[in-house]
Amino acid sequence: MQALTMYEKMRAKGLQPNEIIFVAVLSACACAKLVNFGFKLFEAMSSEFGLVAKMEHYGCVVDLLGRAGLLQEAYDYIKKMPFEADATVLGALMGACRLHGAIELGNEVAQLLLKSQPNHSGQYAQLSSIYAGAERGDHAAALRKAMLDVHKAPAHSFI
């Protein structure tokens, strides 16, 4: 909520928000489940400030809808985006499916993710968590077995 307060202070002083500010305030709206306000801000980006929404902004809107439990709306929103959703946007919806126990939609989103990134182990792990949470242990076990063939990329650190 601090990001929203800072945004309001910024606007009161007549300062123009940029793309980065909108990522912050849209993310804050997602965390607070302020769906209507988030959409209002998203629309204001272009109509009021002349900014073009990028993948990050669309990802925030998908996250906003997903956290609020509006999973089908989030999926429909992805389909209407002016460009193809990347793994980050699909991952936001997948996380919301796990959070809300939406097995069927989670499976559908996982298939899209697996098509775009077949060797990324994170998608398998997240789908396995969805299955396990829904007490579909047989599906989770089969998926974990399939993960054995997937190469897990090592983590990197600049420290």
Side-chain angles (χ1 to χ4, degrees):
M1 294 301 282
Q2 185 178 7
L4 297 174
T5 303
M6 293 302 292
Y7 172 79
E8 293 299 331
K9 286 180 181 178
M10 213 177 108
R11 295 295 301 134
K13 291 183 178 186
L15 299 172
Q16 294 288 97
N18 63 16
E19 290 93 349
I20 297 167
I21 297 297
F22 276 103
V23 169
V25 295
L26 289 170
S27 294
C29 288
C31 289
K33 300 178 187 167
L34 299 172
V35 176
N36 292 332
F37 188 61
F39 269 105
K40 191 173 165 183
L41 288 171
F42 184 80
E43 291 299 320
M45 276 184 64
S46 60
S47 66
E48 199 175 321
F49 302 107
L51 300 172
V52 177
K54 297 181 179 168
M55 187 70 72
E56 294 86 357
H57 303 106
Y58 284 95
C60 289
V61 173
V62 169
D63 190 36
L64 170 67
L65 292 167
R67 286 180 189 235
L70 304 170
L71 303 176
Q72 190 59 51
E73 289 86 342
Y75 190 50
D76 293 343
Y77 192 79
I78 287 172
K79 292 177 188 176
K80 293 177 188 172
M81 286 173 39
F83 35 75
E84 189 172 330
D86 68 4
T88 306
V89 174
L90 292 171
L93 180 54
M94 181 100 158
C97 289
R98 182 173 50 92
L99 178 68
H100 296 287
I103 301 165
E104 289 78 20
L105 183 58
N107 193 38
E108 195 171 331
V109 173
Q111 297 312 313
L112 294 172
L113 277 165
L114 293 174
K115 267 190 220 171
S116 68
Q117 294 182 324
N119 295 319
H120 192 283
S121 61
Q123 278 69 291
Y124 291 92
Q126 198 164 25
L127 184 57
S128 177
S129 292
I130 290 172
Y131 286 148
E135 297 181 8
R136 291 176 109 176
D138 54 334
H139 287 81
L143 202 54
R144 288 185 196 271
K145 188 174 182 179
M147 283 174 55
L148 296 175
D149 296 330
V150 176
H151 173 71
K152 184 177 183 301
H156 297 279
S157 175
F158 291 106
I159 297 176

